[in-house]
């Protein structure tokens, strides 16, 4: 069993829909939680960062962490075709985003 | 700032050949790492370094070698290429206080 599990999709939704992406994990030592966005043939880039449990909002994006359930989520409101990408959750037990453990990634397509 | 640069962008090798993937960063980051990305597997950590002269193994180190003689450079060596090493390789860097690792554009490697 992988330390971090993420449904690889693919997920296809119409423009304007609310998108929910999720990951579960097994290592209770993880304290730093990240969501990366990766466009085709590009390197991953940080979208959201959360330390420990709680919610964080940035524009149309909201990240949630529930450490008691070992479950993290990313919500995208008013989704746009430009949001079409692969979304990767990542976690670490050390500060400085060191030794990241990634989920498999979810391929998301927003249809105009 | 160029950020994290990787060369080459593409490479085709024959089984048994050796080669070095280059990675450089100009952000004076202490921490550098190499990941490989395979379909359905997310990114997996190969090797990492917390500073010049210090390296350690990640999740999938077999068949790869690293060294770090300067803060800026972190090359990855394939000792004897195998078809199982066909993948996309990403180099990343971060500082102790970072929320994220900064990823390079990747090297697409095919081993025949």
């Amino acid at each position: 069993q992988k330390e971090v599990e993420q449904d690889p999709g693919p997920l296809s939704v119409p423009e304007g829909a609310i998108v929910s992406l999720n990951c579960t994990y097994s290592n209770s030592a993880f304290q730093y939680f990240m969501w990366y966005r990766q466009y085709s043939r590009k390197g991953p880039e940080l979208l959201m960062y959360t330390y420990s449990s709680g919610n964080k909002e940035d524009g149309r994006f909201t990240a949630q962490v529930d450490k008691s359930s070992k479950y993290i989520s990313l919500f995208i409101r008013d989704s746009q075709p430009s949001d079409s990408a692969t979304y990767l959750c990542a976690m670490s037990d050390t500060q400085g985003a060191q030794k990241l453990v990634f989920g498999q990634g979810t391929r998301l397509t927003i249809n105009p | 700032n160029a950020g994290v640069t990787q060369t080459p962008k593409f490479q085709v090798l024959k089984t048994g050949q050796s080669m070095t993937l280059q990675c450089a960063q100009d952000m004076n980051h202490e921490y550098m790492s190499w990941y490989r990305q395979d379909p359905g597997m997310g990114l997996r950590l190969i090797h990492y370094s917390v500073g010049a002269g210090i390296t350690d193994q990640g999740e999938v180190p077999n068949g790869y070698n690293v060294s770090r003689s300067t803060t800026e450079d972190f090359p990855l060596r394939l000792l004897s290429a195998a078809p199982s090493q066909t993948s996309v390789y990403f180099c990343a860097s971060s500082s102790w206080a970072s929320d994220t690792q900064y990823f390079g554009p990747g090297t697409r490697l095919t081993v025949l």
Side-chain angles (χ1 to χ4, degrees):
Chain A
Q1 183 185 3
K2 289 177 66 68
E3 267 190 302
V4 180
E5 296 280 357
Q6 182 179 6
D7 185 343
L11 182 61
S12 181
V13 302
E15 183 176 354
I18 296 174
V19 177
S20 173
L21 304 169
N22 311 294
C23 289
T24 60
Y25 63 95
S26 58
N27 187 347
S28 57
F30 288 145
Q31 294 190 71
Y32 304 89
F33 303 92
M34 286 141 273
W35 286 95
Y36 284 84
R37 179 173 61 195
Q38 185 178 25
Y39 290 114
S40 180
R41 296 185 174 266
K42 300 289 187 183
E45 55 182 358
L46 181 72
L47 193 59
M48 298 287 285
Y49 167 88
T50 308
Y51 169 68
S52 193
S53 283
N55 294 357
K56 186 172 185 178
E57 187 173 321
D58 184 2
R60 297 184 294 109
F61 299 90
T62 300
Q64 291 184 349
V65 174
D66 183 349
K67 289 189 69 180
S68 63
S69 301
K70 296 190 179 69
Y71 187 88
I72 71 170
S73 301
L74 177 71
F75 297 95
I76 307 174
R77 292 183 299 279
D78 188 24
S79 55
Q80 305 293 312
S82 58
D83 295 328
S84 298
T86 296
Y87 290 79
L88 298 142
C89 64
M91 308 175 189
S92 176
D93 59 2
T94 56
Q95 187 175 353
Q98 300 175 43
K99 296 176 63 178
L100 293 176
V101 181
F102 283 85
Q104 296 95 317
T106 300
R107 181 177 293 182
L108 173 66
T109 300
I110 308 298
N111 301 303
Chain B
N1 271 356
V4 179
T5 58
Q6 292 183 238
T7 56
K9 286 186 170 52
F10 303 93
Q11 184 70 49
V12 178
L13 292 178
K14 294 181 179 178
T15 296
Q17 287 185 316
S18 63
M19 79 159 295
T20 299
L21 279 63
Q22 301 291 345
C23 174
Q25 54 93 6
D26 61 359
M27 297 174 282
N28 201 31
H29 285 165
E30 305 91 349
Y31 188 73
M32 297 185 74
S33 53
W34 278 101
Y35 294 85
R36 60 177 289 173
Q37 185 173 32
D38 302 295
M41 301 290 290
L43 281 80
R44 292 180 292 168
L45 183 64
I46 305 172
H47 284 286
Y48 65 99
S49 169
V50 298
I54 305 170
T55 64
D56 206 347
Q57 297 180 352
E59 179 186 355
V60 288
N62 291 341
Y64 307 95
N65 199 4
V66 293
S67 61
R68 188 152 176 220
S69 55
T70 67
T71 299
E72 294 78 19
D73 301 298
F74 190 44
L76 179 71
R77 298 182 187 84
L78 278 69
L79 308 173
S80 177
S84 61
Q85 294 178 305
T86 293
S87 188
V88 182
Y89 291 85
F90 289 100
C91 178
S93 74
S94 66
S95 71
W96 295 110
S98 287
D99 292 344
T100 184
Q101 292 194 17
Y102 295 87
F103 284 83
T107 294
R108 292 183 173 271
L109 176 68
T110 300
V111 182
L112 302 175

